[in-house]
Amino acid sequence: MTPDPKDTDPDDASRKGAGRDIPLPDARPPRAFFGRRKGHPLRRHHGDLVATLLPRLAVDLAAPPPVPLAALFATPVARVRMEIGFGGGEHLVAQAAAEPDAGFIGCEPFVNGMAQALALIEANRLGNIRLHHGDATEVLAWLPDAALTRLDLLYPDPWPKRRHWKRRFVQDDNVAALARVLADGGEFRFATDWSDYAAWTLERLLRSPAFAWTAERADDWRRPWAGWTRTRYEAKAVREGRTPCYLVFRRVARG
């Protein structure tokens, strides 16, 4: 694993794309998302996709979740997965294309990343993805119990400064939320290139009685799981000499 991070902020431009002024929801939960949401202007087609395709794919959090949750998708699906902070959508779209019988909910607050994902969804003509342009905690609070078979958090912002650790997504309250929405035997998968965040996540998941770490040998966290699609953040980490870490936790059966 990588050395402990220095007391400097990560490269916001690479981890946190953004875009032109797109209206964002006004109401936010008490634990609001930290970071920028917009930056350089979108290309015309990307802007058109945000204006026209995103509303058709957006999860309506003002309405109760459908029963069953699989009814959320335009095509029939047998199970539902979720990805938190999907960046440019490379992994999300590749997974949805590889598993057409699964439905995917993707959450991303940065408008440039959302626009890039929309372009990939359009190009691949996928009907098994729904999106939330905002904080993933809003979707977690909306989901019914035991609704998901898998939840991915890949290369989240590590917030390396000690005073910013409270901004990390992996906190005890969010671990409890993950445990509530994951079905028995479901998996939470986490990837990072920051050793401190890997240790932080391992500590919090291991102290939760709802999760069991699945690793049996060192390669289980040194190598990506089957079906992995490399993201731009992982490629950047490898170029800069940081070693990725892959953690998989299984939801323990409810008593």
Side-chain angles (χ1 to χ4, degrees):
M1 294 174 65
T2 58
D4 287 338
K6 297 180 180 178
D7 191 26
T8 56
D9 285 321
D11 181 355
D12 281 351
S14 64
R15 287 188 180 271
K16 305 179 182 177
R20 69 183 186 183
D21 279 330
I22 300 294
L24 294 172
D26 293 325
R28 298 289 167 188
R31 188 211 167 277
F33 168 79
F34 298 102
R36 296 185 303 158
R37 294 176 182 270
K38 56 187 179 180
H40 63 80
L42 298 177
R43 288 181 289 178
R44 181 179 297 275
H45 184 58
H46 281 182
D48 290 342
L49 290 174
V50 171
T52 60
L53 181 56
L54 177 57
R56 301 205 304 268
L57 300 183
V59 178
D60 183 4
L61 300 185
V67 180
L69 188 63
L72 190 65
F73 300 89
T75 57
V77 299
R79 59 193 178 279
V80 181
R81 290 172 46 181
M82 178 170 163
E83 185 170 333
I84 296 173
F86 56 71
E90 304 99 330
H91 181 269
L92 175 69
V93 169
Q95 292 290 293
E99 296 187 38
D101 60 336
F104 292 78
I105 299 174
C107 303
E108 176 57 51
F110 304 112
V111 71
N112 279 38
M114 180 61 72
Q116 291 161 8
L118 288 166
L120 290 174
I121 292 169
E122 178 189 51
N124 288 273
R125 300 182 180 181
L126 297 174
N128 59 336
I129 296 180
R130 297 296 298 271
L131 301 170
H132 177 60
H133 185 199
D135 194 332
T137 59
E138 297 166 344
V139 179
L140 291 176
W142 175 81
L143 286 168
D145 293 354
L148 305 178
T149 60
R150 180 170 148 187
L151 210 157
D152 295 340
L153 177 61
L154 312 177
Y155 293 94
D157 195 320
W159 294 108
K161 290 184 178 180
R162 179 180 292 272
R163 68 177 181 271
H164 292 156
W165 287 354
K166 62 186 177 183
R167 300 183 179 185
R168 290 174 172 175
F169 182 87
V170 180
Q171 306 286 347
D172 290 333
D173 57 345
N174 281 340
V175 171
L178 301 182
R180 184 185 69 79
V181 302
L182 274 172
D184 292 355
E187 292 184 340
F188 170 54
R189 300 192 178 192
F190 176 88
T192 185
D193 54 312
W194 291 81
S195 62
D196 177 73
Y197 202 179
W200 169 283
T201 298
L202 190 59
E203 178 183 5
R204 280 149 185 78
L205 270 291
L206 287 179
R207 74 189 181 200
S208 168
F211 288 98
W213 188 23
T214 63
E216 297 178 351
R217 58 189 66 84
D219 275 355
D220 290 340
W221 70 81
R222 291 174 177 165
R223 298 180 181 275
W225 45 80
W228 170 259
T229 299
R230 173 171 281 192
T231 70
R232 67 192 64 192
Y233 302 129
E234 179 169 282
K236 181 176 185 291
V238 171
R239 283 198 311 270
E240 296 179 356
R242 295 190 299 276
T243 303
C245 177
Y246 311 89
L247 303 177
V248 179
F249 304 91
R250 181 171 295 114
R251 178 58 166 98
V252 174
R254 293 162 171 81

